[in-house]
Amino acid sequence: MKNNLNNTTKFILLHPYIQKQGTSSRLWILAFISFFTVAFLLTLIYTRESIATTVTTVTAAASSVVTGSSNPPLPKSVVKALLHYASNSNSTDRMSYTDMKSISDALRQCPSHCNFLVFGLTHESLLWKALNNYGRTVFIDENRYYAAYVEEKHPEIEAYDVQYTTKMSEMKELITSAREQVRNECRPVQNLLFSDCKLGLNDLPNQLYEVEWDVILVDGPRGYWPEAPGRMSSIFTAGVLARSKKGVAAGRTHVFVHDFNREVEKVSSDEFLCKENLVKSTGMLGHFVLEKMEEGSFQFCRNHTSSPAT
């Protein structure tokens, strides 16, 4: 009985307010953590975007500075030195200083960089590449093995080989044929890639027909004996490329013909580059300046008085 009295039952009462207070505190803590997490993420995203924008701006500015500073023409003193050493080499078939300077002056007239097409790999090839340092210089040669050799020895040189099908002894017939086909396959404005004109070079790399050439030099192929290919095709092709420019702002094209004192070069130039476009002749070098023509033009020269040599 005594034991029963001493074992009094005890109750613990949990008031609902205590549970609500604990839940409310946890919610506040969770909200606090969520707020700072979102703020941290927003700050991180904004910072990354700001850094990316800054880097892009700096990179663009640096690129513009480099581009602007890397495209000025070569200093005149450097040009004179290059011309001097090239003209005083031991090569017997080198150009004269005067002729090389005429071509150099034309290259320096390009507003930014020149597209320079050269028929023939010669003693002056490295000089042309150096003088047109910031532009594109392309060489076309009749000897595929020599073109490959030059490219291997000088990787900076862009050279292609072409197979000429003409002979110097056939000049009269070839020019007569071109006259007969002047409204068709041998017209002065066309894409020679699709031409069957006997004098047109249609097997160059396709992309070369789309280039707006600023300067063209005809110093090849060989033309020293009757069976040699002669330069009828290269002069005809130069005349068509110069007249077939498509750009709205396409300017004039300077065309130079080396060995201008020889019969084939003189007759072919009169026929396809035209006397009215001849601005200077130094004996060995003829300098022509050609304007582009509109599609549908069928006359190379305004005043056609030349005739093929017999």
Side-chain angles (χ1 to χ4, degrees):
M1 191 71 179
K2 182 178 181 179
N3 291 337
N4 290 338
L5 292 174
N6 291 335
N7 292 336
T8 305
T9 302
K10 297 180 179 180
F11 295 96
I12 299 176
L13 177 62
L14 296 177
H15 196 281
Y17 176 76
I18 299 177
Q19 291 181 332
K20 290 183 179 180
Q21 188 177 23
T23 302
S24 177
S25 299
R26 286 195 296 270
L27 289 175
W28 276 107
I29 294 173
L30 180 60
F32 182 78
I33 294 174
S34 300
F35 172 78
F36 276 97
T37 301
V38 172
F40 174 76
L41 290 175
L42 292 175
T43 303
L44 179 62
I45 293 172
Y46 175 78
T47 304
R48 290 183 62 182
E49 289 180 350
S50 298
I51 293 174
T53 303
T54 303
V55 171
T56 303
T57 304
V58 172
T59 302
S63 298
S64 63
V65 171
V66 171
T67 302
S69 62
S70 63
N71 285 334
L74 291 174
K76 290 185 178 180
S77 59
V78 175
V79 172
K80 291 181 65 175
L82 290 172
L83 295 174
H84 169 76
Y85 287 111
S87 62
N88 286 278
S89 68
N90 294 325
S91 177
T92 56
D93 58 348
R94 66 180 183 272
M95 277 191 187
S96 68
Y97 177 91
T98 302
D99 291 346
M100 288 189 292
K101 187 176 185 303
S102 296
I103 299 171
S104 172
D105 290 343
L107 291 172
R108 290 178 66 85
Q109 291 181 27
C110 295
S112 57
H113 63 276
C114 268
N115 290 319
F116 185 19
L117 180 63
V118 183
F119 290 94
L121 282 165
T122 66
H123 170 75
E124 292 82 20
S125 295
L126 294 180
L127 173 68
W128 305 139
K129 174 63 178 176
L131 291 176
N132 192 32
N133 188 45
Y134 303 116
R136 182 184 184 186
T137 305
V138 177
F139 297 91
I140 306 297
D141 198 79
E142 61 186 299
N143 189 327
R144 62 183 302 182
Y145 301 105
Y146 186 61
Y149 165 78
V150 171
E151 280 196 309
E152 181 178 0
K153 188 175 181 180
H154 305 284
E156 72 278 9
I157 293 290
E158 182 181 358
Y160 303 97
D161 66 279
V162 64
Q163 298 300 314
Y164 290 92
T165 59
T166 57
K167 295 180 181 179
M168 281 184 56
S169 59
E170 301 171 346
M171 180 186 68
K172 179 182 177 181
E173 292 79 7
L174 290 168
I175 291 181
T176 300
S177 174
R179 285 182 175 182
E180 294 172 350
Q181 294 291 320
V182 74
R183 288 183 170 272
N184 191 8
E185 297 296 336
C186 299
R187 59 191 182 277
V189 179
Q190 61 171 308
N191 187 336
L192 287 173
L193 178 64
F194 308 105
S195 175
D196 288 327
C197 182
K198 294 180 179 179
L199 284 178
L201 296 177
N202 60 5
D203 59 345
L204 299 175
N206 295 3
Q207 42 97 7
L208 296 186
Y209 295 103
E210 303 297 329
V211 177
E212 305 283 332
W213 300 106
D214 301 294
V215 182
I216 301 176
L217 169 62
V218 177
D219 201 8
R222 296 167 296 169
Y224 301 103
W225 70 97
E227 298 303 307
R231 297 177 183 173
M232 300 85 70
S233 286
S234 51
I235 290 173
F236 173 85
T237 300
V240 172
L241 292 174
R243 293 179 173 93
S244 301
K245 287 184 174 181
K246 297 179 181 180
V248 177
R252 303 176 301 171
T253 303
H254 295 265
V255 180
F256 294 90
V257 179
H258 192 222
D259 298 315
F260 189 61
N261 57 318
R262 301 191 308 199
E263 182 183 31
V264 169
E265 283 77 2
K266 183 69 167 60
V267 172
S268 299
S269 295
D270 287 349
E271 186 73 27
F272 303 117
L273 302 180
C274 308
K275 292 180 179 180
E276 66 260 24
N277 298 321
L278 180 64
V279 296
K280 186 177 181 181
S281 173
T282 61
M284 291 290 288
L285 187 71
H287 179 193
F288 298 81
V289 177
L290 276 64
E291 302 281 352
K292 76 170 186 175
M293 285 184 173
E294 297 298 325
E295 190 76 30
S297 299
F298 301 110
Q299 190 173 3
F300 280 90
C301 306
R302 292 191 300 270
N303 301 313
H304 193 280
T305 58
S306 62
S307 60
T310 57

